[in-house]
């Protein structure tokens, strides 16, 4: 969004230092101009802020329909920094070794402490962030996706704007037979932050949780999934303003269109369960 030029330049420098073939880069200005990027970096300037999924979709299309010019696309937050020079090469090796691997989720670590927040480990058993594993979702600001996934299941849901867009794509990819890995050795340095710093956090999280269920889950699981998340939200004892915003978003999720509904197959539900995260939590 044009408000972190120094961090963006540091990120681009870390990408330029990657081992192996040169990594082609596009920087998307999400409602802002793009300035000060190195020569050879593609730029896309959107006239308005389309949100996280809309901006990333624009970046995908900058490499042709569904990113077809490339085999793999990396998505990196502009205030992040690739910690090692071999990350791109590790991605190439991982996708080449496993034809059914569709998405890789990187480990996000604080640049000063090296610690990884629990919420940045995309599985229920998140106590050990150094353990790599198969997972059922991924981190939006630090990942790699095989472009065949986009060609087969589509891009991120534009209408979500912020929150849960990664899980929507992950569930569609898993339903199509792709796998998702969390790799602790692929590291993006990113300052420790709280997601609630965003003013729209509580409303968007609740609204998009409803949309996620309505779009992707078999009908009997929709009330179960949302009921579990309602109880979890109450158990966390949010402030009164936060809870009011959450319930406002929850209502909005039921009264507005979530986009096309394509419920996953029951065998995908079982697959998610075997991977350690049944789609009811």
């Amino acid at each position: 969004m044009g408000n972190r030029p120094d961090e963006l330049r540091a990120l681009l420098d870390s990408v330029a230092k990657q081992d192996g073939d040169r990594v082609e880069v596009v920087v998307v200005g999400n409602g802002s101009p793009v300035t000060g990027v190195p020569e050879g970096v593609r730029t896309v300037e959107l006239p308005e802020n389309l949100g996280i999924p809309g901006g990333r979709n624009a970046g995908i299309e900058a490499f042709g329909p569904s990113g077809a010019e490339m085999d793999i696309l990396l998505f990196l937050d502009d205030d992040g920094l690739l910690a090692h020079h071999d990350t791109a090469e590790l991605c190439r090796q991982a996708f080449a070794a496993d034809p059914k691997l569709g998405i890789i989720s990187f480990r996000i670590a604080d640049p000063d402490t090296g610690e990884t927040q629990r919420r940045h480990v995309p599985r229920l058993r998140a106590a050990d962030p150094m353990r790599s594993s198969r997972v059922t979702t991924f981190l939006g600001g630090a990942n790699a996706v095989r472009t065949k996934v986009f060609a087969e299941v589509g891009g991120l849901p534009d209408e979500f704007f912020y929150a849960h867009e990664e899980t929507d794509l992950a569930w569609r990819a898993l339903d199509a037979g792709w796998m998702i890995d969390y790799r602790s050795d692929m590291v993006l340095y990113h300052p420790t932050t709280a997601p609630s710093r965003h003013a729209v956090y509580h409303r968007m999280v609740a609204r998009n949780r409803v949309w996620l269920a309505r779009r992707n889950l078999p009908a009997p699981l929709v009330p179960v999934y949302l009921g579990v998340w309602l109880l979890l939200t109450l158990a966390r004892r949010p402030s009164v303003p936060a809870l009011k915003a959450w319930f406002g978003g929850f209502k909005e999720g039921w009264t507005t269109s979530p986009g096309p509904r394509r419920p996953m197959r029951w065998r995908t539900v079982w697959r998610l369960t075997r991977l350690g995260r049944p789609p009811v939590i």
Side-chain angles (χ1 to χ4, degrees):
M1 295 181 65
N3 55 355
R4 292 190 284 239
D6 294 339
E7 292 89 340
L8 174 61
R9 187 57 188 251
L11 170 65
L12 295 176
D13 288 345
S14 75
V15 173
K17 293 175 182 176
Q18 291 297 298
D19 298 337
D21 295 339
R22 180 177 181 270
V23 179
E24 298 293 331
V25 178
V26 61
V27 174
V28 178
N30 212 348
S32 67
V34 180
T35 59
V37 298
E39 185 177 351
V41 172
R42 308 185 197 193
T43 61
V44 175
E45 295 186 358
L46 301 175
E48 61 179 307
N49 182 359
L50 299 182
I52 293 172
R56 288 180 180 150
N57 284 337
I60 295 168
E61 296 301 310
F63 292 113
S66 299
E69 293 177 17
M70 303 293 162
D71 295 322
I72 305 164
L73 290 181
L74 277 67
F75 296 85
L76 305 171
D77 274 356
D78 64 352
D79 55 346
L81 181 75
L82 288 174
H84 309 300
H85 293 180
D86 63 350
T87 302
E89 193 60 30
L90 287 173
C91 283
R92 296 185 186 104
Q93 294 171 8
F95 284 114
D98 186 352
K100 295 308 294 180
L101 179 61
I103 303 172
I104 298 174
S105 188
F106 299 175
R107 180 168 65 89
I108 294 179
D110 185 273
D112 297 322
T113 66
E115 293 182 0
T116 296
Q117 292 179 276
R118 187 180 181 90
R119 69 185 181 90
H120 284 151
V121 183
R123 59 177 179 244
L124 291 179
R125 296 179 180 177
D128 181 10
M130 300 306 295
R131 179 173 66 87
S132 299
S133 69
R134 294 283 201 198
V135 289
T136 62
T137 188
F138 64 98
L139 306 175
N143 66 80
V145 183
R146 195 189 296 267
T147 52
K148 288 182 180 178
V149 173
F150 296 124
E152 185 171 350
V153 307
L156 295 155
D158 287 333
E159 51 269 78
F160 278 40
F161 195 85
Y162 166 81
H164 303 316
E165 66 274 0
E166 302 92 355
T167 300
D168 186 89
L169 176 60
W171 283 359
R172 285 183 280 126
L174 288 162
D175 195 48
W178 296 100
M179 300 301 293
I180 305 171
D181 279 357
Y182 166 72
R183 289 283 298 264
S184 64
D185 56 338
M186 301 181 189
V187 183
L188 183 81
Y189 283 148
H190 188 282
T192 298
T193 57
S196 55
R197 70 190 185 279
H198 299 292
V200 297
Y201 172 77
H202 295 287
R203 180 176 69 87
M204 292 290 194
V205 162
R207 184 197 69 182
N208 292 1
R209 183 80 69 184
V210 177
W211 280 359
L212 179 69
R214 291 177 62 196
R215 284 165 60 97
N216 295 287
L217 290 181
L221 293 186
V222 173
V224 179
Y225 177 82
L226 295 176
V228 167
W229 278 103
L230 172 60
L231 293 175
L232 285 173
T233 299
L234 295 175
R236 291 167 178 167
R237 298 183 179 181
S239 66
V240 172
L243 194 59
K244 184 177 180 181
W246 192 93
F247 274 109
F250 192 81
K251 178 181 178 181
E252 185 181 349
W254 286 106
T255 57
T256 55
S257 172
R261 173 168 166 75
R262 299 187 183 95
M264 67 177 66
R265 293 165 290 185
W266 283 104
R267 69 180 183 184
T268 304
V269 173
W270 175 237
R271 190 179 184 200
L272 289 163
T273 303
R274 287 190 293 109
L275 286 169
R277 188 154 196 166
V280 294
I281 187 170

